[in-house]
Amino acid sequence: MMKKVYTRTAGIEADMVSGFCPGCMHGLIFKLIGEVLEEMNLLEETISVQGVGCCGLAMEYVTYDNTTAPHGRACAVATGIKRTNPDKLVYTYQGDGDLASIGLAESMSAANRGENISVIFVNNGIYGMTGGQMAPTTLVGMKATTAPEGRNPAMHGYPMHMCEIMNQLTAPVYLERTSCNTPANTRRTKAAIKKAFQNQIDQKGFSMVEIVTSCPTNWGLNPMESLEFLNEKMLKEFPLGVIRDRS
Amino acid sequence: MAKKFMKGCEAIAEAAVRSGCRFFAGYPITPQNEIPEYFARRMPEVGGSFVQGESEIASINMVYGAAQTGVRSMTSSSSCGISLKSEGVSFCASARIPIVYCNVARGGPGIGAIQPAQQDYMQATKASGNGGFRMIVLAPATVQEAVDMTYEAFDLAQRDRNPVLILADGVLGTIMEPVELPPMRSDEELRKLREETKDWALRGHKAGEKKLILPGGWQGQEDRCKANAAMYDTWEKDIQVEEFLTEDARVVIAAYGVSARVAKSAIRLLRKEGYQVGMIRPKTVSPFPYQSFDKLDYGRVKAILDVEMSIPAQLVYDVELGVKGRCKVHTCLRSGGEIMGREYIVNAVKEIYNV
């Protein structure tokens, strides 16, 4: 008799095949979220808010309630859901364009209110679904379809560090930047997601986990090259670690 | 029941609370500030939530979120602020989320003027956001009507799973009038009303029963559009209109909201002088009471006078659709920010009466 040591999380539909690109980390992150919710016995108590972008594909993949916000408005939508349903676990899942560009006001304001929600912020330095345009987190010199010569600080400014920016506010309780570039960091990401959710259960207020990831398709690199770029360039600009923990 | 002397904005907010509104998010803009201010005081008393959003955009999206869980939810703004809400309203229409919102209209275009206006008619009735959706739009002319319509709006929204708009104006928002307030819905009634949303609302579900709120999608777009169109076809029964002294009228005024109040006063003056003048006042500007114009006896009615506080005229297009070229349609217009005096209407009627 074989012993079952690993099975797909109940947070992801059993028969579902992901449509994410090879090397994309969204699938991995949704798996981690599913595992955390399952371990915390929260799958039936969760309402998730998807940002606009590739992450929206996951609406069909996960097994719990979810909705799509207009581009950038996830934190506002989550605010409405959480205020009227304080007993539910409410998290947003947003890319860099969603959270740090079009939704900057909603993200910062929810953080500033100390809204009791958890934000999963996936930062790969580029717009994925629309096809590789410059993001607020695009590295200096990094090429994008709307910055064909690469990000030029004289014209485009510098990458935004959302954890550090939110760290200027008084209300947020927990801000951590992680990655999924190695098994160890993937475990660290899972622990951070769990902590963010636990903070919400404990009514502690606003938590954000920024996960630095890759986008092989729009970076124009294969998955292995993308990992290298992530390790060598992205993580230099976006150092991993706990930016704030007042939980 | 005893009447209460209330300001329009506050009466609208209280009517919403009594109808079961338990979430409100809004952003300051004149002349509707008394609505969010009232909710800020009132919501804690009834176990509801009030959030001052960081913008009109955030506020409508908070309402979009709260309403997805089956909680009766509302926002309000004025004109340019309503424009900012249009994306969120369009999402509500697409995902079929019942919300109520109120436009206490001011002048436009752009920042316009803080004074009353009726310059958002087309936006309110035809294109409140991208994508060609429609809503029931209620246009009160008195504070009492604003109260009754707000109370009803939540039921209509929930019935159709569609946004409902209260199209008020700066006069209605800021005047005080005696009103009779509708009964307060009990927590038990609200619990039952929320229970009716259980087929679609996000509440947390077990695997296999999850609820998905989809404001769009790659599949099913045509089915979605057809379902919406079929819903709009059921609204004939929801048309509300006041036909005032039209039986013998030779000139019929078409007006809604504050303009209709002034027009009614003008008609009374004109009647004393022997002029046979009446008025058709749409109370629902969407769906529009075309039938009221269709059934007029055009052997007797020589002219229609479209009266509105909008330059260029906007209501006039719906009036023309009802009249279908059977008599001439004239306009009597002031721009937003300029409240029409009744003499202005009296003179306009006299000018066309014997032509």
Side-chain angles (χ1 to χ4, degrees):
Chain A
M1 178 86 178
M2 302 264 276
K3 190 180 161 201
K4 198 179 219 179
V5 294
Y6 179 82
T7 186
R8 177 179 267 196
T9 166
I12 304 284
E13 298 284 359
D15 53 351
M16 195 58 75
V17 178
S18 149
F20 296 124
C21 302
C24 172
M25 294 175 181
H26 278 316
L28 177 55
I29 298 166
F30 278 107
K31 183 189 84 166
L32 297 177
I33 294 170
E35 287 177 355
V36 169
L37 292 174
E38 189 179 359
E39 288 164 21
M40 296 175 82
N41 200 22
L42 288 170
L43 284 171
E44 295 177 18
E45 304 299 330
T46 297
I47 300 173
S48 73
V49 183
Q50 302 298 333
V52 166
C54 298
C55 60
L57 292 169
M59 293 194 76
E60 307 279 353
Y61 307 160
V62 302
T63 55
Y64 44 87
D65 282 7
N66 61 83
T67 181
T68 299
H71 200 189
R73 318 299 170 217
C75 281
V77 174
T79 296
I81 295 173
K82 186 67 184 181
R83 291 283 181 120
T84 46
N85 299 270
D87 56 331
K88 301 297 172 197
L89 189 284
V90 181
Y91 82 83
T92 72
Y93 189 110
Q94 303 173 258
D96 36 61
D98 196 278
L99 181 130
S101 184
I102 189 170
L104 192 57
E106 285 76 8
S107 312
M108 291 299 291
S109 301
N112 192 42
R113 285 192 304 269
E115 209 64 54
N116 191 28
I117 58 173
S118 312
V119 173
I120 310 298
F121 167 37
V122 179
N123 174 10
N124 58 11
I126 204 146
Y127 283 74
M129 181 157 275
T130 47
Q133 295 81 13
M134 184 175 62
T137 50
T138 296
L139 304 183
V140 170
M142 193 173 165
K143 287 183 177 172
T145 56
T146 48
E149 303 303 317
R151 183 174 197 149
N152 174 0
M155 286 168 70
H156 310 126
Y158 294 87
M160 291 173 81
H161 300 79
M162 289 309 297
C163 280
E164 287 80 354
I165 291 170
M166 283 188 183
N167 198 27
Q168 303 305 307
L169 304 172
T170 305
V173 63
Y174 173 56
L175 304 164
E176 177 164 0
R177 185 181 292 119
T178 68
S179 185
C180 290
N181 60 328
T182 64
N185 277 339
T186 302
R187 289 170 71 88
R188 182 63 234 161
T189 298
K190 184 175 169 181
I193 293 169
K194 195 166 206 169
K195 191 178 178 79
F197 288 176
Q198 189 61 50
N199 286 342
Q200 189 182 147
I201 299 296
D202 296 341
Q203 318 263 348
K204 286 183 176 165
F206 187 90
S207 298
M208 183 173 82
V209 181
E210 174 179 346
I211 308 170
V212 187
T213 67
S214 60
C215 181
T217 300
N218 289 298
W219 286 1
L221 302 172
N222 70 35
M224 289 310 292
E225 292 166 343
S226 290
L227 262 185
E228 257 169 57
F229 188 89
L230 174 57
N231 292 336
E232 287 168 18
K233 308 281 190 195
M234 290 289 283
L235 296 187
K236 287 222 166 56
E237 182 70 33
F238 301 106
L240 305 184
V242 178
I243 313 298
R244 172 184 296 189
D245 186 358
R246 293 180 183 167
S247 63
Chain B
M1 191 190 258
K3 289 197 171 182
K4 214 175 162 189
F5 196 51
M6 287 186 89
K7 194 173 200 174
C9 280
E10 299 191 342
I12 287 169
E14 179 59 29
V17 168
R18 286 169 181 246
S19 188
C21 179
R22 288 297 178 271
F23 184 80
F24 181 94
Y27 184 81
I29 180 172
T30 306
Q32 62 85 57
N33 296 312
E34 293 85 348
I35 295 180
E37 286 167 357
Y38 189 88
F39 274 111
R41 300 193 297 272
R42 188 73 168 106
M43 279 307 203
E45 297 173 357
V46 295
S49 304
F50 165 83
V51 183
Q52 178 173 330
E54 57 271 25
S55 66
E56 285 90 348
I57 298 171
S59 301
I60 180 67
N61 280 289
M62 290 174 188
V63 167
Y64 172 62
Q68 289 181 19
T69 71
V71 173
R72 293 189 162 202
S73 304
M74 179 177 181
T75 186
S76 66
S77 191
S78 179
S79 297
C80 42
I82 291 290
S83 293
L84 286 171
K85 291 187 192 291
S86 19
E87 182 198 37
V89 172
S90 181
F91 268 63
C92 290
S94 181
R96 299 291 292 269
I97 304 302
I99 65 150
V100 172
Y101 71 117
C102 178
N103 181 0
V104 185
R106 54 189 260 166
I111 197 164
I114 61 169
Q115 289 83 8
Q118 296 184 309
Q119 290 181 265
D120 300 338
Y121 181 88
M122 289 296 231
Q123 184 195 43
T125 59
K126 308 289 185 275
S128 303
N130 66 297
F133 63 91
R134 302 289 293 272
M135 306 178 301
I136 292 179
V137 182
L138 304 159
T142 65
V143 176
Q144 183 66 58
E145 261 184 11
V147 162
D148 297 340
M149 287 176 170
T150 303
Y151 196 77
E152 181 191 10
F154 286 89
D155 295 335
L156 293 171
Q158 182 164 344
R159 182 196 71 188
D160 291 338
R161 285 186 58 189
N162 203 53
V164 173
L165 171 62
I166 316 284
L167 180 61
D169 58 65
V171 170
L172 208 56
T174 50
I175 53 169
M176 293 186 79
E177 286 186 308
V179 288
E180 191 177 319
L181 291 166
M184 182 80 174
R185 289 210 163 100
S186 68
D187 289 347
E188 179 58 18
E189 282 175 282
L190 293 188
R191 198 193 58 73
K192 279 186 188 150
L193 285 167
R194 194 176 180 192
E195 192 61 20
E196 287 170 16
T197 68
K198 71 175 183 337
D199 291 342
W200 57 267
L202 303 178
R203 305 277 290 277
H205 291 86
K206 51 186 180 205
E209 292 173 16
K210 81 163 178 185
K211 301 293 183 238
L212 197 55
I213 300 290
L214 271 177
W218 297 278
Q219 284 96 34
Q221 183 62 30
E222 179 149 326
D223 289 344
R224 184 189 297 259
C225 291
K226 282 178 179 165
N228 287 350
M231 169 176 66
Y232 308 150
D233 286 344
T234 68
W235 286 349
E236 191 79 24
K237 64 185 181 308
D238 297 312
I239 291 172
Q240 297 177 37
V241 60
E242 179 188 6
E243 293 167 3
F244 180 67
L245 303 178
T246 53
E247 298 81 5
D248 65 340
R250 286 168 51 86
V251 169
V252 173
I253 290 172
Y256 73 99
V258 62
S259 294
R261 286 179 75 133
V262 184
K264 200 176 252 186
S265 169
I267 289 167
R268 289 200 174 105
L269 266 185
L270 286 159
R271 283 268 167 186
K272 278 184 193 155
E273 296 178 33
Y275 291 91
Q276 289 165 258
V277 189
M279 175 169 67
I280 294 174
R281 174 171 76 93
K283 293 159 75 173
T284 52
V285 284
S286 169
F288 191 84
Y290 297 109
Q291 178 64 22
S292 296
F293 292 92
D294 195 49
K295 72 182 184 194
L296 289 174
D297 173 3
Y298 289 96
R300 187 189 70 244
V301 175
K302 298 301 174 200
I304 304 285
L305 184 66
D306 171 80
V307 175
E308 43 180 325
M309 276 162 50
S310 171
I311 298 174
Q314 300 184 49
L315 169 71
V316 73
Y317 292 99
D318 275 328
V319 173
E320 295 270 19
L321 278 175
V323 174
K324 296 194 187 86
R326 284 171 286 185
C327 75
K328 186 147 176 64
V329 178
H330 302 266
T331 56
C332 172
L333 313 174
R334 297 303 302 265
S335 76
E338 301 292 329
I339 300 173
M340 195 157 336
R342 70 178 169 183
E343 283 305 322
Y344 195 63
I345 301 173
V346 166
N347 291 338
V349 169
K350 286 180 178 173
E351 267 178 41
I352 61 172
Y353 195 79
N354 288 315
V355 176

